[in-house]
Amino acid sequence: MAKLAGRITDSETGETVSARVNVTDAAGEFLHPIDSLLKIGPGTSFFYSSGSFEIDVPRGQVRVIVERGTEYIPATLDIEASSQGTVIADVQLKRWSKLGTEGWHPGNTHIHYDEKEKRPDDRLHLDPRVEDLRMTAVSILKRWDLEYASNKYSPGLMTDFTSAHHYVQCGEESRHNAEESHSPGYGHIMLLNIKNVVEPVSRGLLVDAFDPDYPPLSYACDDTHRQGGIVIWCHNGRGMEAPVAAALGKVDAFNLFDPHWMDPEYDIYYKMLNAGIRLPASTGSDWFISSGNRVYAYTGEDFEYEPWLAALKQGRTFITNGPSLSLSIQGEMPGTEIEARPGESLSSLVRWQSHYPVSHVEILFNGEIIVRKTMQVEMATGSLEADIPIRSDGWVAARLWSKARDSFAQPIFAHTSPIYLKTGLEGPEKIAAATYFNQAIDESLKWVGTKGKFYTDNQRREVVDLFREGQQVYQRIIH
């Protein structure tokens, strides 16, 4: 057999860079070094490389595919290997996007390593670099007695894995499931920028059959904020406490596409925005780096963690698994508020750039598509200008789609955080959303009163009082 020796560099800087590598022989068999870390998740198989690799290959044609993050163009090399000797594969990766120079920096706010992972340190060294992430948050969590590999870490900055270009921290997923089916339950929240573990990490059936459905997640939100941290509601958008915690201002952002499209998440998120709750969009990949998902936050300068976190909270973000997407109204970016008059039209501009071709781009007003551009010939780069008629208070966001799928077998997707419009006139969407959440909380209160497990009547009363406090926010809108 021959030996394939590869080196991966940035075509512009010449620096050696980490990447994921797929090597297949003439029969299509995936080849990798014996001790290499393998990609976790669906789609094409890859092994992780810190920038160089050696692998035994059979005689004949060998294909090498190299990917790094989402801002580099994947490289493909076809090599003819002889029966012996060494074949050199010099792979140069070229950026199609330089968002960092424009002040946009990517992060992943939701990653865990499960009990099957034997080399969490090695993986955490490579994950942020292979995915080209400026901010990576791995989190502790608890489900029964499972020994999750990420639970070996302590909350806070992880200096062993952090470098000048890659900030790595450990946070927490605090959660509650009331039934084995993960529904309804209070929900799941990600806690970032915390210094200490927020107890309990889980409650209810996630601990054992007799653990109480107490305390509510809102208490964990409060503890997190006292530590100077932030709270992100993550992929169980149907959690009973989501509308309560959001209405009471206990949630700082909302994870979408986490790790893939789920209609309930978007239905809940859009209704929260319609109810007047301001929540930036964020995202993560959940189990390992199981997709290219990332949230870009705009700091306007070189990456530093605290400004990045502030930008996330302010809503200067878009989420994506590849394309860059920007939205402006009257020159203002997501996260801002614009005052307007009912009946007025405001000019909007959407721009996108993508390695993969884009099928269509949409502008939403209060969750409804008001402008849609469908490309007969898919476009990797483009813009969409439109005048938006303003009829009431609300929000505007942009999103795009593609028929193409990435190497994780996920459809290409991006979504901006909202721009908020203030007219002084409430639209019908606000009352409809408030009515929906008012009724949902009524159902949740029935569960708390009849099925929830508590050690004392006082614990049950606390949860009931909390849910009623959140419900009153929606009832004031209705009445």
Side-chain angles (χ1 to χ4, degrees):
M1 297 186 73
K3 187 175 294 294
L4 175 66
R7 181 171 178 263
I8 308 164
T9 57
D10 183 298
S11 65
E12 184 173 330
T13 66
E15 295 179 352
T16 300
V17 293
S18 302
R20 50 180 178 262
V21 183
N22 171 275
V23 177
T24 52
D25 62 16
E29 182 181 354
F30 172 53
L31 308 174
H32 61 86
I34 295 175
D35 61 347
S36 60
L37 287 171
L38 303 183
K39 184 197 87 171
I40 303 296
T44 306
S45 297
F46 286 89
F47 65 86
Y48 280 6
S49 169
S50 60
S52 61
F53 61 90
E54 287 190 354
I55 183 173
D56 292 331
V57 295
R59 182 176 181 173
Q61 190 177 66
V62 176
R63 170 160 288 188
V64 180
I65 302 173
V66 180
E67 296 185 346
R68 172 177 166 85
T70 58
E71 291 189 45
Y72 284 85
I73 300 171
T76 301
L77 281 73
D78 287 318
I79 298 171
E80 192 71 27
S82 60
S83 59
Q84 58 185 353
T86 300
V87 183
I88 304 298
D90 186 7
V91 183
Q92 294 187 350
L93 293 177
K94 182 179 180 180
R95 282 188 180 271
W96 62 264
S97 170
K98 296 183 179 179
L99 285 166
T101 63
E102 302 170 12
W104 289 94
H105 305 291
N108 187 317
T109 61
H110 186 179
I111 306 169
H112 310 292
Y113 295 151
D114 72 13
E115 73 280 6
K116 299 175 184 177
E117 177 56 54
K118 304 302 182 184
R119 298 165 58 188
D121 287 359
D122 292 340
R123 191 171 291 279
L124 194 51
H125 271 295
L126 280 171
D127 269 343
R129 292 154 180 82
V130 167
E131 290 303 325
D132 198 27
L133 294 167
R134 300 307 306 272
M135 199 294 295
T136 303
V138 63
S139 298
I140 63 172
L141 75 164
K142 180 175 179 60
R143 292 177 67 200
W144 308 294
D145 294 324
L146 295 176
E147 294 293 334
Y148 291 106
S150 51
N151 287 355
K152 65 173 288 187
Y153 305 121
S154 299
L157 170 65
M158 305 176 74
T159 55
D160 290 344
F161 308 101
T162 294
S163 68
H165 297 286
H166 307 282
Y167 183 97
V168 183
Q169 67 161 272
C170 182
E172 175 183 334
E173 179 175 325
S174 185
R175 55 195 288 179
H176 172 265
N177 301 124
E179 299 173 2
E180 293 291 347
S181 63
H182 289 200
S183 178
Y186 297 151
H188 300 181
I189 51 177
M190 303 305 302
L191 313 179
L192 273 60
N193 204 42
I194 55 176
K195 303 175 181 67
N196 306 301
V197 175
V198 176
E199 293 285 0
V201 177
S202 288
R203 66 278 287 151
L205 282 178
L206 288 171
V207 179
D208 60 51
F210 302 101
D211 195 69
D213 300 305
Y214 179 90
L217 294 176
S218 292
Y219 290 10
C221 299
D222 294 340
D223 191 357
T224 299
H225 289 148
R226 283 191 290 268
Q227 294 188 38
I230 72 167
V231 178
I232 303 175
W233 202 275
C234 59
H235 53 78
N236 187 359
R238 290 172 289 183
M240 293 189 298
E241 201 175 339
V244 174
L248 297 178
K250 299 181 183 296
V251 181
D252 301 301
F254 199 101
N255 264 9
L256 302 163
F257 208 73
D258 182 25
H260 51 78
W261 177 277
M262 291 177 62
D263 283 334
E265 292 179 344
Y266 288 83
D267 292 343
I268 293 292
Y269 180 60
Y270 290 170
K271 285 183 172 66
M272 286 180 174
L273 296 175
N274 285 349
I277 299 167
R278 299 191 173 186
L279 281 176
S282 176
T283 194
S285 56
D286 199 11
W287 292 107
F288 299 86
I289 301 289
S290 59
S291 68
N293 294 7
R294 58 204 59 217
V295 52
Y296 278 85
Y298 177 77
T299 66
E301 54 191 19
D302 290 342
F303 175 84
E304 290 186 15
Y305 174 62
E306 293 298 337
W308 187 91
L309 202 66
L312 175 63
K313 292 177 64 177
Q314 292 165 10
R316 301 198 300 266
T317 67
F318 70 91
I319 63 172
T320 182
N321 64 351
S324 65
L325 180 65
S326 68
L327 166 70
S328 65
I329 299 179
Q330 302 290 102
E332 298 292 337
M333 69 185 307
T336 58
E337 178 183 278
I338 297 176
E339 292 189 0
R341 297 183 301 274
E344 183 179 4
S345 290
L346 302 180
S347 61
S348 68
L349 174 63
V350 178
R351 296 184 185 274
W352 71 90
Q353 185 180 6
S354 176
H355 165 63
Y356 297 95
V358 172
S359 303
H360 58 264
V361 179
E362 299 168 342
I363 300 177
L364 308 173
F365 177 77
N366 288 355
E368 299 296 326
I369 300 170
I370 56 171
V371 179
R372 181 170 183 172
K373 181 175 182 176
T374 300
M375 274 68 74
Q376 292 183 345
V377 178
E378 294 179 314
M379 300 170 59
T381 303
S383 63
L384 170 62
E385 295 184 68
D387 290 331
I388 300 176
I390 307 303
R391 60 179 186 268
S392 64
D393 292 350
W395 57 275
V396 177
R399 67 187 187 191
L400 63 77
W401 310 82
S402 173
K403 297 175 183 176
R405 290 179 179 262
D406 62 13
S407 61
F408 294 92
Q410 294 287 350
I412 301 303
F413 172 79
H415 198 302
T416 71
S417 280
I419 295 174
Y420 304 99
L421 304 176
K422 185 68 174 177
T423 68
L425 179 65
E426 294 182 353
E429 301 93 343
K430 188 169 188 177
I431 293 178
T435 301
Y436 173 87
F437 287 129
N438 179 55
Q439 294 172 349
I441 294 173
D442 270 340
E443 292 301 312
S444 299
L445 285 168
K446 291 178 183 178
W447 183 90
V448 172
T450 60
K451 294 184 179 180
K453 299 190 303 292
F454 300 92
Y455 284 161
T456 67
D457 288 341
N458 188 56
Q459 287 182 349
R460 191 187 304 272
R461 279 195 296 269
E462 285 183 33
V463 175
V464 168
D465 289 346
L466 174 74
F467 275 58
R468 283 178 175 164
E469 183 182 1
Q471 188 179 38
Q472 287 172 4
V473 173
Y474 301 109
Q475 289 176 341
R476 285 193 292 269
I477 295 172
I478 297 169
H479 298 300

